[in-house]
mmCIF file of all heavy atoms in Angstrom:
data_model
loop_
_atom_site.group_PDB
_atom_site.id
_atom_site.type_symbol
_atom_site.label_atom_id
_atom_site.label_comp_id
_atom_site.label_asym_id
_atom_site.label_seq_id
_atom_site.Cartn_x
_atom_site.Cartn_y
_atom_site.Cartn_z
ATOM 1 N N LEU L 163 -15.642 12.435 10.683
ATOM 2 C CA LEU L 163 -16.764 13.359 10.828
ATOM 3 C C LEU L 163 -18.046 12.787 10.223
ATOM 4 O O LEU L 163 -19.152 13.054 10.720
ATOM 5 C CB LEU L 163 -16.426 14.696 10.154
ATOM 6 C CG LEU L 163 -15.373 15.569 10.834
ATOM 7 C CD1 LEU L 163 -15.027 16.758 9.951
ATOM 8 C CD2 LEU L 163 -15.860 16.052 12.202
ATOM 9 N N ALA L 164 -17.883 12.013 9.150
ATOM 10 C CA ALA L 164 -19.050 11.425 8.476
ATOM 11 C C ALA L 164 -19.530 10.145 9.152
ATOM 12 O O ALA L 164 -20.479 9.507 8.673
ATOM 13 C CB ALA L 164 -18.717 11.144 7.010
ATOM 14 N N GLY L 165 -18.866 9.772 10.247
ATOM 15 C CA GLY L 165 -19.307 8.593 10.986
ATOM 16 C C GLY L 165 -18.574 7.320 10.644
ATOM 17 O O GLY L 165 -18.935 6.237 11.149
ATOM 18 N N GLY L 166 -17.550 7.394 9.797
ATOM 19 C CA GLY L 166 -16.784 6.212 9.446
ATOM 20 C C GLY L 166 -15.610 5.987 10.387
ATOM 21 O O GLY L 166 -15.452 6.687 11.395
ATOM 22 N N ASP L 167 -14.770 5.032 10.035
ATOM 23 C CA ASP L 167 -13.602 4.670 10.850
ATOM 24 C C ASP L 167 -12.344 4.917 10.030
ATOM 25 O O ASP L 167 -11.977 4.092 9.183
ATOM 26 C CB ASP L 167 -13.707 3.205 11.278
ATOM 27 C CG ASP L 167 -12.583 2.782 12.215
ATOM 28 O OD1 ASP L 167 -11.580 3.509 12.315
ATOM 29 O OD2 ASP L 167 -12.704 1.713 12.835
ATOM 30 N N ALA L 168 -11.695 6.050 10.257
ATOM 31 C CA ALA L 168 -10.531 6.415 9.446
ATOM 32 C C ALA L 168 -9.414 5.397 9.577
ATOM 33 O O ALA L 168 -8.737 5.075 8.589
ATOM 34 C CB ALA L 168 -10.038 7.806 9.843
ATOM 35 N N GLU L 169 -9.189 4.897 10.787
ATOM 36 C CA GLU L 169 -8.111 3.930 10.975
ATOM 37 C C GLU L 169 -8.332 2.684 10.139
ATOM 38 O O GLU L 169 -7.395 2.140 9.534
ATOM 39 C CB GLU L 169 -7.984 3.565 12.448
ATOM 40 C CG GLU L 169 -6.795 2.651 12.739
ATOM 41 C CD GLU L 169 -6.614 2.368 14.212
ATOM 42 O OE1 GLU L 169 -7.349 2.962 15.042
ATOM 43 O OE2 GLU L 169 -5.725 1.543 14.544
ATOM 44 N N ALA L 170 -9.587 2.227 10.077
ATOM 45 C CA ALA L 170 -9.895 1.054 9.258
ATOM 46 C C ALA L 170 -9.653 1.349 7.777
ATOM 47 O O ALA L 170 -9.146 0.505 7.033
ATOM 48 C CB ALA L 170 -11.342 0.625 9.484
ATOM 49 N N TRP L 171 -9.989 2.570 7.352
ATOM 50 C CA TRP L 171 -9.748 2.946 5.959
ATOM 51 C C TRP L 171 -8.248 3.015 5.655
ATOM 52 O O TRP L 171 -7.826 2.697 4.548
ATOM 53 C CB TRP L 171 -10.417 4.292 5.658
ATOM 54 C CG TRP L 171 -11.844 4.128 5.234
ATOM 55 C CD1 TRP L 171 -12.886 3.693 5.994
ATOM 56 C CD2 TRP L 171 -12.366 4.367 3.933
ATOM 57 N NE1 TRP L 171 -14.038 3.637 5.256
ATOM 58 C CE2 TRP L 171 -13.748 4.063 3.982
ATOM 59 C CE3 TRP L 171 -11.819 4.821 2.739
ATOM 60 C CZ2 TRP L 171 -14.579 4.187 2.869
ATOM 61 C CZ3 TRP L 171 -12.644 4.956 1.632
ATOM 62 C CH2 TRP L 171 -14.007 4.634 1.698
ATOM 63 N N GLN L 172 -7.468 3.413 6.632
ATOM 64 C CA GLN L 172 -6.021 3.460 6.438
ATOM 65 C C GLN L 172 -5.405 2.065 6.367
ATOM 66 O O GLN L 172 -4.315 1.895 5.806
ATOM 67 C CB GLN L 172 -5.379 4.267 7.575
ATOM 68 C CG GLN L 172 -5.688 5.757 7.500
ATOM 69 C CD GLN L 172 -5.421 6.489 8.798
ATOM 70 O OE1 GLN L 172 -5.358 5.866 9.864
ATOM 71 N NE2 GLN L 172 -5.269 7.807 8.725
ATOM 72 N N ASN L 173 -6.092 1.083 6.901
ATOM 73 C CA ASN L 173 -5.585 -0.298 6.887
ATOM 74 C C ASN L 173 -6.207 -1.150 5.792
ATOM 75 O O ASN L 173 -5.987 -2.362 5.744
ATOM 76 C CB ASN L 173 -5.838 -0.952 8.245
ATOM 77 C CG ASN L 173 -4.970 -0.360 9.335
ATOM 78 O OD1 ASN L 173 -3.803 -0.029 9.089
ATOM 79 N ND2 ASN L 173 -5.521 -0.183 10.527
ATOM 80 N N ARG L 174 -7.001 -0.547 4.929
ATOM 81 C CA ARG L 174 -7.565 -1.286 3.797
ATOM 82 C C ARG L 174 -6.454 -1.678 2.822
ATOM 83 O O ARG L 174 -5.318 -1.234 2.933
ATOM 84 C CB ARG L 174 -8.610 -0.428 3.084
ATOM 85 C CG ARG L 174 -9.933 -0.328 3.828
ATOM 86 C CD ARG L 174 -10.971 0.377 2.983
ATOM 87 N NE ARG L 174 -12.315 0.178 3.522
ATOM 88 C CZ ARG L 174 -13.432 0.396 2.838
ATOM 89 N NH1 ARG L 174 -13.368 0.853 1.579
ATOM 90 N NH2 ARG L 174 -14.603 0.191 3.393
ATOM 91 N N ASP L 175 -6.820 -2.503 1.835
ATOM 92 C CA ASP L 175 -5.845 -2.925 0.828
ATOM 93 C C ASP L 175 -5.226 -1.701 0.168
ATOM 94 O O ASP L 175 -5.905 -0.704 -0.106
ATOM 95 C CB ASP L 175 -6.517 -3.796 -0.237
ATOM 96 C CG ASP L 175 -6.903 -5.160 0.306
ATOM 97 O OD1 ASP L 175 -6.374 -5.547 1.362
ATOM 98 O OD2 ASP L 175 -7.758 -5.816 -0.320
ATOM 99 N N LYS L 176 -3.939 -1.805 -0.060
ATOM 100 C CA LYS L 176 -3.223 -0.687 -0.657
ATOM 101 C C LYS L 176 -3.677 -0.450 -2.083
ATOM 102 O O LYS L 176 -3.862 -1.392 -2.868
ATOM 103 C CB LYS L 176 -1.711 -0.962 -0.626
ATOM 104 C CG LYS L 176 -0.856 0.197 -1.083
ATOM 105 C CD LYS L 176 0.613 -0.115 -0.868
ATOM 106 C CE LYS L 176 1.491 1.065 -1.234
ATOM 107 N NZ LYS L 176 2.919 0.799 -0.963
ATOM 108 N N TYR L 177 -3.810 0.840 -2.420
ATOM 109 C CA TYR L 177 -4.155 1.188 -3.789
ATOM 110 C C TYR L 177 -2.924 1.040 -4.680
ATOM 111 O O TYR L 177 -1.867 1.603 -4.392
ATOM 112 C CB TYR L 177 -4.666 2.629 -3.870
ATOM 113 C CG TYR L 177 -4.948 3.080 -5.282
ATOM 114 C CD1 TYR L 177 -6.098 2.669 -5.942
ATOM 115 C CD2 TYR L 177 -4.055 3.909 -5.961
ATOM 116 C CE1 TYR L 177 -6.365 3.075 -7.241
ATOM 117 C CE2 TYR L 177 -4.317 4.323 -7.260
ATOM 118 C CZ TYR L 177 -5.468 3.900 -7.890
ATOM 119 O OH TYR L 177 -5.726 4.289 -9.185
ATOM 120 N N VAL L 178 -3.051 0.274 -5.736
ATOM 121 C CA VAL L 178 -1.953 0.070 -6.684
ATOM 122 C C VAL L 178 -2.370 0.687 -8.015
ATOM 123 O O VAL L 178 -3.286 0.180 -8.674
ATOM 124 C CB VAL L 178 -1.628 -1.421 -6.874
ATOM 125 C CG1 VAL L 178 -0.497 -1.587 -7.884
ATOM 126 C CG2 VAL L 178 -1.275 -2.068 -5.542
ATOM 127 N N PRO L 179 -1.744 1.790 -8.403
ATOM 128 C CA PRO L 179 -2.149 2.438 -9.660
ATOM 129 C C PRO L 179 -1.811 1.574 -10.861
ATOM 130 O O PRO L 179 -0.844 0.809 -10.853
ATOM 131 C CB PRO L 179 -1.326 3.730 -9.668
ATOM 132 C CG PRO L 179 -0.149 3.430 -8.799
ATOM 133 C CD PRO L 179 -0.634 2.481 -7.744
ATOM 134 N N LYS L 180 -2.635 1.689 -11.866
ATOM 135 C CA LYS L 180 -2.384 0.962 -13.109
ATOM 136 C C LYS L 180 -1.254 1.659 -13.862
ATOM 137 O O LYS L 180 -1.263 2.877 -14.030
ATOM 138 C CB LYS L 180 -3.642 0.908 -13.970
ATOM 139 C CG LYS L 180 -4.806 0.160 -13.326
ATOM 140 C CD LYS L 180 -6.024 0.164 -14.241
ATOM 141 C CE LYS L 180 -7.166 -0.620 -13.618
ATOM 142 N NZ LYS L 180 -7.667 -0.014 -12.380
ATOM 143 N N VAL L 181 -0.262 0.909 -14.279
ATOM 144 C CA VAL L 181 0.862 1.453 -15.044
ATOM 145 C C VAL L 181 0.643 1.134 -16.515
ATOM 146 O O VAL L 181 0.533 -0.032 -16.898
ATOM 147 C CB VAL L 181 2.209 0.851 -14.574
ATOM 148 C CG1 VAL L 181 3.353 1.426 -15.395
ATOM 149 C CG2 VAL L 181 2.414 1.133 -13.092
ATOM 150 N N ALA L 182 0.547 2.175 -17.310
ATOM 151 C CA ALA L 182 0.278 1.967 -18.732
ATOM 152 C C ALA L 182 1.487 1.338 -19.417
ATOM 153 O O ALA L 182 2.635 1.686 -19.136
ATOM 154 C CB ALA L 182 -0.059 3.293 -19.399
ATOM 155 N N ASP L 183 1.219 0.387 -20.292
ATOM 156 C CA ASP L 183 2.292 -0.197 -21.097
ATOM 157 C C ASP L 183 2.766 0.829 -22.118
ATOM 158 O O ASP L 183 1.962 1.501 -22.769
ATOM 159 C CB ASP L 183 1.807 -1.450 -21.820
ATOM 160 C CG ASP L 183 1.669 -2.635 -20.886
ATOM 161 O OD1 ASP L 183 2.558 -2.805 -20.038
ATOM 162 O OD2 ASP L 183 0.667 -3.364 -20.995
ATOM 163 N N ASN L 184 4.070 0.961 -22.243
ATOM 164 C CA ASN L 184 4.643 1.836 -23.258
ATOM 165 C C ASN L 184 5.329 0.995 -24.313
ATOM 166 O O ASN L 184 6.043 0.041 -23.999
ATOM 167 C CB ASN L 184 5.666 2.795 -22.636
ATOM 168 C CG ASN L 184 5.016 3.825 -21.740
ATOM 169 O OD1 ASN L 184 4.922 3.642 -20.545
ATOM 170 N ND2 ASN L 184 4.538 4.913 -22.333
ATOM 171 N N THR L 185 5.123 1.340 -25.550
ATOM 172 C CA THR L 185 5.829 0.662 -26.612
ATOM 173 C C THR L 185 7.140 1.395 -26.873
ATOM 174 O O THR L 185 7.325 2.538 -26.470
ATOM 175 C CB THR L 185 4.988 0.654 -27.901
ATOM 176 O OG1 THR L 185 4.664 2.004 -28.247
ATOM 177 C CG2 THR L 185 3.698 -0.120 -27.691
ATOM 178 N N ASP L 186 8.044 0.717 -27.536
ATOM 179 C CA ASP L 186 9.302 1.359 -27.880
ATOM 180 C C ASP L 186 9.047 2.563 -28.788
ATOM 181 O O ASP L 186 8.103 2.569 -29.585
ATOM 182 C CB ASP L 186 10.230 0.368 -28.592
ATOM 183 C CG ASP L 186 10.724 -0.721 -27.655
ATOM 184 O OD1 ASP L 186 10.440 -0.633 -26.446
ATOM 185 O OD2 ASP L 186 11.377 -1.662 -28.138
ATOM 186 N N LEU L 187 9.890 3.564 -28.637
ATOM 187 C CA LEU L 187 9.729 4.799 -29.393
ATOM 188 C C LEU L 187 10.975 5.083 -30.211
ATOM 189 O O LEU L 187 12.082 4.670 -29.845
ATOM 190 C CB LEU L 187 9.480 5.967 -28.444
ATOM 191 C CG LEU L 187 8.232 5.901 -27.559
ATOM 192 C CD1 LEU L 187 8.251 7.048 -26.550
ATOM 193 C CD2 LEU L 187 6.971 5.957 -28.404
ATOM 194 N N ASP L 188 10.781 5.789 -31.309
ATOM 195 C CA ASP L 188 11.896 6.259 -32.128
ATOM 196 C C ASP L 188 11.800 7.770 -32.255
ATOM 197 O O ASP L 188 10.727 8.316 -32.522
ATOM 198 C CB ASP L 188 11.852 5.624 -33.522
ATOM 199 C CG ASP L 188 12.217 4.155 -33.498
ATOM 200 O OD1 ASP L 188 13.414 3.838 -33.394
ATOM 201 O OD2 ASP L 188 11.283 3.319 -33.559
ATOM 202 N N THR L 189 12.925 8.451 -32.075
ATOM 203 C CA THR L 189 12.934 9.903 -32.168
ATOM 204 C C THR L 189 14.309 10.376 -32.607
ATOM 205 O O THR L 189 15.254 9.573 -32.707
ATOM 206 C CB THR L 189 12.546 10.523 -30.807
ATOM 207 O OG1 THR L 189 12.327 11.920 -30.976
ATOM 208 C CG2 THR L 189 13.632 10.295 -29.768
ATOM 209 N N ASP L 190 14.439 11.660 -32.863
ATOM 210 C CA ASP L 190 15.749 12.213 -33.214
ATOM 211 C C ASP L 190 16.603 12.429 -31.960
ATOM 212 O O ASP L 190 17.766 12.041 -31.904
ATOM 213 C CB ASP L 190 15.587 13.545 -33.956
ATOM 214 C CG ASP L 190 14.894 13.402 -35.292
ATOM 215 O OD1 ASP L 190 15.105 12.364 -35.957
ATOM 216 O OD2 ASP L 190 14.128 14.302 -35.672
#
């Protein structure tokens, strides 16, 4: 609707979310 190309946007590089590093945890 805004004049872009949805198909081209669907074929862009895949979004890869950043995965936060977790340190080891100690609990009861």
Side-chain angles (χ1 to χ4, degrees):
L163 289 173
D167 184 345
E169 185 176 355
W171 273 67
Q172 290 163 340
N173 290 323
R174 284 188 165 197
D175 289 343
K176 186 174 184 177
Y177 176 77
V178 179
K180 297 179 178 65
V181 179
D183 285 319
N184 291 94
T185 57
D186 291 354
L187 299 172
D188 288 283
T189 190
D190 296 325

